[in-house]
Amino acid sequence: MPVNEIDLNEYRRALSCFATGVAVVTALDADGQKFGMTISSFNSVSLDPPLVLWSIAEDANSYDRFIAAEHFAVNVLAMHQKDLSSRFAQKGTDKFEGLECRDGIEGVPILPEYAACFECSTEHRYDGGDHKIIVGRVQRFEDRENDPLIFYRGRFLRKGGPYPDGSI
């Protein structure tokens, strides 16, 4: 296929070959209101200093609030949290209803359960096509040593999933 003739549906399908973890990014807006969204675009950037990145689509409902946020938390979901992933992927609902979050740095909401959590201050924002790449400096983290929720080829994976040896 010539370089200029990329089929976006095929491109998206090819990208789905790369299994990712699933996380919920949370923050507070200027009025102190909690907001968050499900992401799968999370990566380590640097160990020294400790930097991570994630990206947000420019047409996302919470785009302006995340771009303005000076602090955020990346809550890496555990294998049993598929419902929480779906909740934070929805538009127009109170995503925090019934959740007993604790306050992280600068009051950022931290989910009650997760596999790992990274509390960050926003270090950089970069243009990335139809997304903005947000780089955060990790201020505090916790690893609860739970198995993570994995997304691959448009579906969630679990132990005992599609592989004969039961691995993820």
Side-chain angles (χ1 to χ4, degrees):
M1 170 181 303
V3 175
N4 293 336
E5 295 181 25
I6 291 180
D7 180 304
L8 295 181
N9 289 328
E10 289 299 316
Y11 177 61
R12 179 185 291 257
R13 180 169 163 66
L15 289 172
S16 74
C17 289
F18 188 73
T20 66
V22 182
V24 169
V25 179
T26 56
L28 291 176
D29 66 16
D31 297 326
Q33 297 297 308
K34 299 175 199 173
F35 65 99
M37 66 181 287
T38 300
I39 64 165
S40 60
S41 62
F42 173 66
N43 285 294
S44 169
V45 175
S46 170
L47 294 176
D48 187 18
L51 300 174
V52 296
L53 70 75
W54 65 283
S55 64
I56 183 169
E58 291 179 351
D59 64 355
N61 283 351
S62 53
Y63 175 83
D64 291 333
R65 293 193 292 173
F66 272 117
I67 294 306
E70 292 300 325
H71 297 89
F72 61 89
V74 178
N75 302 266
V76 178
L77 298 183
M79 186 185 330
H80 67 278
Q81 293 183 288
K82 181 180 163 193
D83 291 343
L84 202 56
S85 169
S86 297
R87 176 195 290 213
F88 277 85
Q90 294 177 16
K91 297 178 182 178
T93 61
D94 179 1
K95 298 172 184 180
F96 292 91
E97 184 179 351
L99 291 179
E100 293 186 30
C101 296
R102 68 173 172 83
D103 291 344
I105 59 171
E106 298 297 319
V108 169
I110 306 298
L111 299 180
E113 292 187 64
Y114 47 79
C117 182
F118 301 87
E119 297 178 57
C120 304
S121 56
T122 301
E123 187 92 356
H124 303 287
R125 297 168 188 90
Y126 298 110
D127 289 330
D130 60 0
H131 281 64
K132 188 72 80 174
I133 300 163
I134 300 174
V135 177
R137 182 180 291 258
V138 178
Q139 303 293 327
R140 186 167 49 205
F141 71 93
E142 181 183 9
D143 176 358
R144 292 189 172 168
E145 299 185 20
N146 294 326
D147 289 332
L149 184 61
I150 305 292
F151 198 69
Y152 168 75
R153 290 262 191 215
R155 64 179 183 203
F156 294 100
L157 294 182
R158 59 180 174 76
K159 285 186 178 175
Y163 299 105
D165 65 357
S167 65
I168 294 179

